[in-house]
Amino acid sequence: MAKLKVAGYWASSCGGCEIATLEIGANIVKLAELADIVFWPCIVDGKYKDVEAMTDGEIDLCLFNGAIQNEENEHQAKVLRAKSKVMVAYGSCSYEGCIPGLANVANQEQIFDRVFVSCPSVDNPDKVIPQTSYQAPEGELTLPKIYDTVRPLAAVIDVDYFVPGCPPTGEQTWAVLEAVVTGNLPAKGSIVGAGTRALCDECKRNKEEKKVKKFYRTHQIMPDPDRCLLEQGLLCAGLATREGCGALCPAAGMPCTGCYGPPDGVVDQGAKFMSAVASIVDSNDPAEIAVILDDIKDPIGTFYRYSLPSSILRRVQIK
Amino acid sequence: MSSADFQPKIVGFLCNWCSYAGADLAGTSRTKYEPSIRIIRVMCSGRVDPTFVLEAFNRGADGVCVIGCHFGDCHYLEGNYKAARRMELLKNMLKQFGIEEGRFRFDMASASEGDRFAQIVNEMTEEVKKLGPYVKYEGAIS
Ligand code: SF4
Ligand code: SF4
Ligand code: FES
């Protein structure tokens, strides 16, 4: 059998997904036997022009991580789409926007101001900010334009499969690679390597009664090691999150923050999460309800930590 | 469109047993109120998933209200308490989303309070008129 051609790319992401691919462990040897890596900036040397010179559909599989936040991200997504038979949105950033997607609470101008001018640790009296084009004596230097709104990969190109997770687990990554190798591909548009139900279904913690008088942040209490964290007032996203990771975080005493995205049947993970949290407030008095809920200082960052760009509202309104 | 001509679109989620009956009463009693509201009947205010409210804004509503029975009157006993909790948190969240407070309201009206229903609609219409149309900000993406 001819060796498969595999590519990888990082757009707006942290780089963690590249490292997570190594979690396929010893299978990496198998991968090297079955496939050639033709382009993957973090892992092998390669040039954009090499990809552009390929024929359409020449790459068998592209694992694309990262959200679309600038011109280069978008361009590269379109090029790789054309060159790849199977395009996978790999990891939460390309699947739903993830942490880079929280930039949608602001716009490009506000972000530049914060990062390059007003941040307390920045000293920039001339207010120098990045330009898309700069005329140096040696010639023009350019940078890709940053957009106001971060989008998930599927908002820009046609995506065949989605692998959730921040980052995906090794088993999931291997499941995708194996599916392509064996030709045993699931239905287009499938979420690969995760279940369909909510994370609570695979969480081992004891569920008793969900009634909460006070919400806590993780550093404020030592939770009971066996009982459901949400019942103890920690904002656990299990009810609004897809199973598949094995409930790693609750098992380690940390509430799930929702990195696998919404389970089947849920359109908007943040709305589902906030609805679940609000319903367990143990009070019937509007004034007391308001006080209890006021402890949640950052609703968007809490409920939409991974899914703001793919949520119903997608971003914050700016006048 | 000048602001004087602006007739807001307000989506109202009304529960079958009280507020919807209240709206009906307003109609049969020929109570005059602003023609801004588009009513969606739900069985109970506790049925209103915050997703519905977000979707209404996403599809062009200038304002959204959820009206249920008074506390103690909910046909399903606890539905409106649940709604009160959800809508309170939703209100905080919408604020962070940059959607002005006047565009969203959670309130109560009984089956005999046609006037109260009309008043809620009128007040809300007034406020949303002041705010103007809800124009979605998309930002530059190319
Ligand atoms: S809310 Fe969190 S801790 Fe509780 S059962 Fe669900 S996943 Fe486990
Ligand atoms: S428990 Fe939640 S946040 Fe942690 S890995 Fe699983 S899905 Fe992600
Ligand atoms: S039936 Fe009216 S609020 Fe529940």
Side-chain angles (χ1 to χ4, degrees), chain B residues 15 17 43-45 68-69 74-76 80:
Chain B
C15 80
W17 304 99
M43 289 311 280
C44 174
S45 63
C69 311
C74 170
H75 191 76
Y76 307 97
N80 53 0

Side-chain angles (χ1 to χ4, degrees), chain B residues 26-139:
Chain B
T28 47
S29 344
R30 300 184 176 236
T31 309
K32 279 216 173 81
Y33 61 88
E34 293 280 347
S36 53
I37 192 156
R38 275 74 168 160
I39 296 174
I40 296 175
R41 175 162 59 158
V42 289
M43 289 311 280
C44 174
S45 63
R47 173 65 185 96
V48 181
D49 189 316
T51 307
F52 301 173
V53 177
L54 302 179
E55 193 60 55
F57 279 116
N58 191 41
R59 297 216 198 166
D62 300 302
V64 182
C65 61
V66 177
I67 313 178
C69 311
H70 287 282
F71 288 134
D73 288 350
C74 170
H75 191 76
Y76 307 97
L77 310 176
E78 298 239 322
N80 53 0
Y81 288 116
K82 273 220 162 102
R85 299 175 201 139
R86 289 191 185 122
M87 298 309 143
E88 174 65 26
L89 187 49
L90 179 60
K91 192 187 79 192
N92 295 346
M93 198 171 85
L94 288 174
K95 215 187 294 172
Q96 202 187 4
F97 265 109
I99 296 177
E100 301 91 338
E101 264 188 281
R103 295 193 192 275
F104 176 68
R105 178 160 173 169
F106 173 61
D107 217 313
M108 289 156 182
S110 77
S112 61
E113 291 178 321
D115 290 342
R116 188 180 162 90
F117 166 78
Q119 188 196 340
I120 293 172
V121 175
N122 289 342
E123 283 173 9
M124 216 182 146
T125 307
E126 188 66 25
E127 266 192 76
V128 176
K129 268 189 180 164
K130 266 188 242 150
L131 293 167
Y134 171 66
V135 185
K136 263 187 279 177
Y137 171 81
E138 305 281 2

Side-chain angles (χ1 to χ4, degrees), chain A residues 199 241 245 247-250 256-260:
Chain A
L199 185 78
T241 302
C245 70
L248 289 172
C249 300
C256 168
T257 49
C259 84
Y260 266 50

Side-chain angles (χ1 to χ4, degrees), chain A:
Chain A
M1 198 176 101
K3 271 186 148 186
L4 290 173
K5 291 186 177 174
V6 174
Y9 194 67
W10 49 10
S12 191
S13 64
C14 72
C17 278
E18 322 281 334
I19 310 306
T21 48
L22 294 179
E23 283 189 7
I24 60 173
N27 280 325
I28 203 135
V29 180
K30 237 193 258 176
L31 178 65
E33 279 167 16
L34 295 166
D36 281 330
I37 296 172
V38 293
F39 179 71
W40 200 325
C42 177
I43 292 179
V44 295
D45 191 21
K47 297 282 176 266
Y48 289 163
K49 64 171 171 29
D50 301 338
V51 185
E52 270 151 28
M54 290 178 189
T55 53
D56 281 1
E58 189 176 325
I59 299 169
D60 293 290
L61 168 70
C62 177
L63 296 180
F64 192 107
N65 75 72
I68 307 300
Q69 190 173 19
N70 67 32
E71 240 169 17
E72 184 210 28
N73 300 156
E74 184 170 0
H75 173 74
Q76 221 36 46
K78 287 177 175 162
V79 171
L80 283 163
R81 169 67 280 188
K83 307 297 177 191
S84 308
K85 288 195 192 78
V86 176
M87 174 55 95
V88 176
Y90 180 81
S92 174
C93 290
S94 58
Y95 168 39
E96 31 173 22
C98 199
I99 307 295
L102 287 172
N104 286 0
V105 301
N107 60 15
Q108 182 265 337
E109 202 187 317
Q110 293 170 329
I111 290 171
F112 275 22
D113 177 70
R114 181 68 189 160
V115 174
F116 298 105
V117 182
S118 70
C119 177
S121 58
V122 167
D123 182 21
N124 182 3
D126 297 332
K127 298 191 171 41
V128 179
I129 56 163
Q131 306 295 315
T132 49
S133 157
Y134 176 72
Q135 212 51 57
E138 297 81 4
E140 191 197 12
L141 297 172
T142 60
L143 279 176
K145 180 181 170 191
I146 292 197
Y147 299 151
D148 284 321
T149 301
V150 176
R151 288 170 294 168
L153 184 61
V156 178
I157 58 161
D158 185 39
V159 173
D160 298 304
Y161 302 107
F162 300 88
V163 178
C166 176
T169 63
E171 297 88 82
Q172 270 178 284
T173 309
W174 187 242
V176 182
L177 293 167
E178 235 178 0
V180 175
V181 170
T182 57
N184 203 0
L185 294 164
K188 187 180 157 91
S190 299
I191 289 169
V192 183
T196 54
R197 304 171 306 171
L199 185 78
C200 296
D201 284 318
E202 63 173 358
C203 173
K204 302 272 180 314
R205 287 183 173 262
N206 301 328
K207 294 109 185 157
E208 292 160 39
E209 205 193 1
K210 291 191 171 39
K211 277 193 162 183
V212 170
K213 274 262 184 242
K214 181 164 173 52
F215 292 106
Y216 299 96
R217 297 177 68 184
T218 45
H219 65 276
Q220 292 175 311
I221 54 162
M222 281 297 282
D224 177 297
D226 301 314
R227 192 172 173 204
C228 164
L229 296 168
L230 185 58
E231 290 172 9
Q232 301 181 63
L234 290 170
L235 294 163
C236 184
L239 284 162
T241 302
R242 183 178 294 273
E243 62 177 348
C245 70
L248 289 172
C249 300
M254 287 296 280
C256 168
T257 49
C259 84
Y260 266 50
D264 274 13
V266 172
V267 183
D268 188 296
Q269 187 184 23
K272 183 78 184 173
F273 185 10
M274 68 129 287
S275 178
V277 165
S279 348
I280 63 167
V281 167
D282 185 16
S283 171
N284 284 343
D285 168 29
E288 192 188 17
I289 292 171
V291 170
I292 296 172
L293 291 174
D294 204 39
D295 273 341
I296 302 171
K297 295 294 178 208
D298 175 17
I300 293 179
T302 306
F303 303 126
Y304 289 98
R305 184 163 307 171
Y306 303 91
S307 64
L308 183 57
S310 58
S311 68
I312 292 174
L313 296 178
R314 296 184 297 278
R315 61 158 303 117
V316 163
Q317 298 297 306
I318 292 167
K319 292 266 143 37

